[in-house]
Amino acid sequence: RRLAVIKSIRNRMEAAGFFEQVAGAAENETVAAEALYQRGQALIAARRYDDAAAVLAQFVGDHRASPRLPEATARLAIAQARLEQHKE
């Protein structure tokens, strides 16, 4: 079971890296925003709450007109809450 969890986290980190590349290379703002949001999602799934919070905060700050803004704001709150739980 532990090995499956480790593999799953590694795959999610690979996905986060892929979305980072897409966001950086995208010429279309909508594609870049979606890739940034998906990167935040992948980082949450990989339990990298600090990185996820930073990415989602960037999304919220940079993409105020995005239809993903409510979801990103909620995911940011989740990442921040889980980050606080891990500090305790």
Side-chain angles (χ1 to χ4, degrees), residues 13 16 20 36 39-44 46-59 75-76 79-80 83:
M13 287 302 299
E20 181 178 26
L36 190 62
R39 180 170 185 242
Q41 291 276 76
L43 288 166
I44 287 175
R47 301 177 184 168
R48 296 289 303 266
Y49 304 119
D50 53 344
D51 294 331
V55 167
L56 291 165
Q58 178 185 351
F59 180 96
R75 295 290 181 182
L76 173 57
Q80 290 170 333
L83 186 58

